[in-house]
Amino acid sequence: MVDTTPLTRAVDHFADRLRAAPQSRLQRSGAAEALALARELALRAQRIEDPSCVPREMPDAGMFAAADQITVAVHDLALVLSDEGQVEDAVKLVTEAQKRAGV
């Protein structure tokens, strides 16, 4: 079993920053970046679980749900990751998304 703690910590930090961000920051870029990240994490989890299935896209539940969406998506992904390289790659995605979000 692979240790996904660095990934879940990175997403928890990003989610906390989103929850604390003012609405104006969420509207500018924070929520959109978080939704894009949640969709990518969910897509990766689906591809690992069943490469033959048609991926489902995570819906846009609104800017105030973005933090919860990345949290749910990362926990789904963490369950199916099988090596440290996958974890490192996902942590990099989270870090880059947080920088672009400006939170």
Side-chain angles (χ1 to χ4, degrees), residues 8-58:
T8 55
R9 281 188 183 157
V11 167
D12 287 346
H13 181 260
F14 187 13
D16 288 345
R17 300 291 301 184
L18 287 167
R19 289 183 185 105
Q23 183 174 349
S24 61
R25 172 93 21 102
L26 293 175
Q27 288 172 325
R28 274 195 308 269
S29 61
E33 284 296 333
L35 178 59
L37 175 64
R39 286 177 171 168
E40 178 61 27
L41 296 174
L43 179 65
R44 288 176 182 222
Q46 291 175 63
R47 284 182 179 156
I48 292 170
E49 278 187 313
D50 185 1
S52 66
C53 81
V54 176
R56 298 167 309 280
E57 185 175 87
M58 182 173 285

Side-chain angles (χ1 to χ4, degrees), residues 61-80:
M63 72 177 138
F64 298 113
D68 295 331
Q69 287 183 292
I70 62 172
T71 301
V72 167
V74 81
H75 284 95
D76 288 347
L77 180 60
L79 291 172
V80 297

